[in-house]
């Protein structure tokens, strides 16, 4: 599409005026543009829709709510797309792949998601991610990418670049995801643990803003923690810091995919929580997702109990690291108050009183997109370096 043609008509002059305001104003919402230009909401909406269709503007990463922002859905943030330094972000979850193309400032232009059990099919998962990225680039006419940042849900040896845990990502063991993906994509690739990227996303664009020391905990089909100390992600000597999902819980015998029994992940993650809800709700659809769970006292109790189990482990980490905040993300973290209240209750009971009193316990502001947003933000930073 030729976006430079016929810009002299009144409608196109209005669109170019709005685009210039956006170029000078950074990240804005549609409401900000109405106020800044004095144009009607319908005129602004039409112009913005055209700019998005032309690939000159992206809308996403909802603006954080502040005082007086109301209780409705947060407004989408609009940003001009820089074509000079586009990059990409890939998030491999245990049961999904998320792929995004990213503008020069590290914000997502567009994204795609596919549901896939990646643990047992590493090659298929990487092939699928490469094809999804190819399709996104074609759809949005992006020829050049400077780098790709990738998150994987398992321990990655920072010295060798190899996946090292045979019990968490069995078909990935001994693979170098960076080299595998560089071969498929023909691009420079940077790989991180997914919880590290979730922490980075919340640090730069979510609930972690304003904190220099916090734990981001992804509670999904697996459980992992991203640690931020002194305003920077902490990975540990080998890159394995934050692998808390296989912490043993005394008195529990549930079989974990790692082969051991009683791991935190075997008790608190999505699958065991769904199994508990299904056991107490015989009429629940077998194909139900977390979003379909009944909002009743029994379900809330199950989520609260899961939060207490998680909170017991996080209490130990809080005593060790004395973070300013615990930020709870992932699919279960997005379920709301019952789980967070369980975490808070356990921390209050088990952590040192002064540490518990100073600790903020928050939901991830970026929800289930934290890892992809973190990968996008880091991709933008690497592209500018």
């Amino acid at each position: 599409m030729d976006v430079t043609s016929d810009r002299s008509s009144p409608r196109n002059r209005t669109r170019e005026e709005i685009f210039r305001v956006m170029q000078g104003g950074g990240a804005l919402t549609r409401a900000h543009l109405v106020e800044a230009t004095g144009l009607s909401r319908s005129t602004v909406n039409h112009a913005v829709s055209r700019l998005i269709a032309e690939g000159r503007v992206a809308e996403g990463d909802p603006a954080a709510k502040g005082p007086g922002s109301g209780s409705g859905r947060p407004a989408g943030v609009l940003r001009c797309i820089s074509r000079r330094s586009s990059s990409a972000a890939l998030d491999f979850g245990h049961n999904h792949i998320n792929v995004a193309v990213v503008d020069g400032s590290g914000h997502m232009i567009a994204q795609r998601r596919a549901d896939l059990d990646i643990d047992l099919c590493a090659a298929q998962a990487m092939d699928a991610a490469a094809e999804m990225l190819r399709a996104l680039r074609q759809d949005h006419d992006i020829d050049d990418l400077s780098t790709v940042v990738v998150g994987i849900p398992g321990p990655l040896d920072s010295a060798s670049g190899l996946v090292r845990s045979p019990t968490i990502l069995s078909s990935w063991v001994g693979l170098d995801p960076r080299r595998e993906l560089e071969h498929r994509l023909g691009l420079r690739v940077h790989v991180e643990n997914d919880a590290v990227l979730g922490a980075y996303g919340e640090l730069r664009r979510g609930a972690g803003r304003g904190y220099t020391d916090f734990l981001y905990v992804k509670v999904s089909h697996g459980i992992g923690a991203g640690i931020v100390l002194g305003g920077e992600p902490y990975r540990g000597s080998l890159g394995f810091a934050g692998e808390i999902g296989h912490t043993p819980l005394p008195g529990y015998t549930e079989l974990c995919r790692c082969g051991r029994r009683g791991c935190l992940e075997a008790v608190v993650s999505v699958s065991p929580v769904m199994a508990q809800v299904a056991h107490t709700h015989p009429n629940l659809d077998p194909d139900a997702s977390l979003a379909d769970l009944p909002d009743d006292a029994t379900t809330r109790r199950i989520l609260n109990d899961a939060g207490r189990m998680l909170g017991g482990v996080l209490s130990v980490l809080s005593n060790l690291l004395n973070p300013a905040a615990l930020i709870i993300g992932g699919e279960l973290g997005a379920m709301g108050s019952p789980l967070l209240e369980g975490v808070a209750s356990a921390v209050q009971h088990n952590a040192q009183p002064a540490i518990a009193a100073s600790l903020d316990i928050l939901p991830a502001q970026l929800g289930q997109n934290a890892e992809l947003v973190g990968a996008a933000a880091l991709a933008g930073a690497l592209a500018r370096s």
Side-chain angles (χ1 to χ4, degrees), residues 215-220 222-225 242 244-247 249 252 263-265 267-269 273 302-318 326-330 332-334 338-347 350 361-362:
L215 301 181
Y216 165 79
V217 186
K218 180 182 179 181
V219 194
S220 189
I223 299 178
I244 66 172
H246 301 280
T247 302
L249 299 177
Y252 285 84
C263 292
L264 176 66
E265 181 177 301
V267 179
V268 171
S269 61
V273 167
I302 290 170
L303 290 169
N304 187 266
D305 286 347
R308 288 173 184 268
M309 295 294 174
L310 176 62
V313 173
L314 296 181
S315 298
V316 177
L317 294 178
S318 297
L326 300 176
I327 299 173
I328 312 299
L332 274 177
L339 186 125
L340 265 68
E341 288 169 357
V343 171
S345 176
V347 169
N350 295 306
I361 299 175
L362 311 165

Side-chain angles (χ1 to χ4, degrees), residues 10 32 41 65 83 88-89 93 97 108 112 131 152 199 209 221 268-269 275 289 297 314 324 330 368 384:
H32 290 145
R41 182 176 297 274
K65 285 188 174 185
R83 297 285 179 179
I97 304 169
M108 291 186 289
R112 286 191 177 188
E131 175 57 27
I152 65 167
R209 288 176 292 183
H221 291 276
V268 171
S269 61
S289 66
L314 296 181
Q368 297 179 46
R384 294 190 297 273

Side-chain angles (χ1 to χ4, degrees), residues 193-205:
N193 174 268
D194 62 344
V196 170
L197 291 178
Y200 190 80
E202 292 293 336
L203 174 67
R204 298 300 181 208
R205 296 186 183 144

Side-chain angles (χ1 to χ4, degrees), residues 36 38 91 93 101 109 131 139 145 160 177 200 245 270 279 290 292 327 332 359:
D91 168 38
V101 286
I109 299 169
E131 175 57 27
D139 289 348
L145 293 177
S160 66
Y200 190 80
V270 170
H279 180 72
L290 284 174
D292 302 320
I327 299 173
L332 274 177
L359 187 61

Side-chain angles (χ1 to χ4, degrees), residues 42 56 71 84 117 131 151 156 212 241 259 297 306 308 317 321 375 385:
S42 61
R56 301 167 67 195
S71 59
R84 291 175 295 178
D117 184 345
E131 175 57 27
L156 187 74
T212 58
R308 288 173 184 268
L317 294 178
L321 298 173
S385 64

Side-chain angles (χ1 to χ4, degrees), residues 17-48:
E17 176 189 352
I18 290 173
F19 188 68
R20 284 192 295 272
V21 170
M22 292 183 62
Q23 287 178 309
L28 300 170
T29 65
R30 295 173 190 244
H32 290 145
L33 289 174
V34 170
E35 183 177 352
T37 62
L39 298 169
S40 70
R41 182 176 297 274
S42 61
T43 299
V44 167
N45 284 338
H46 182 271
V48 166

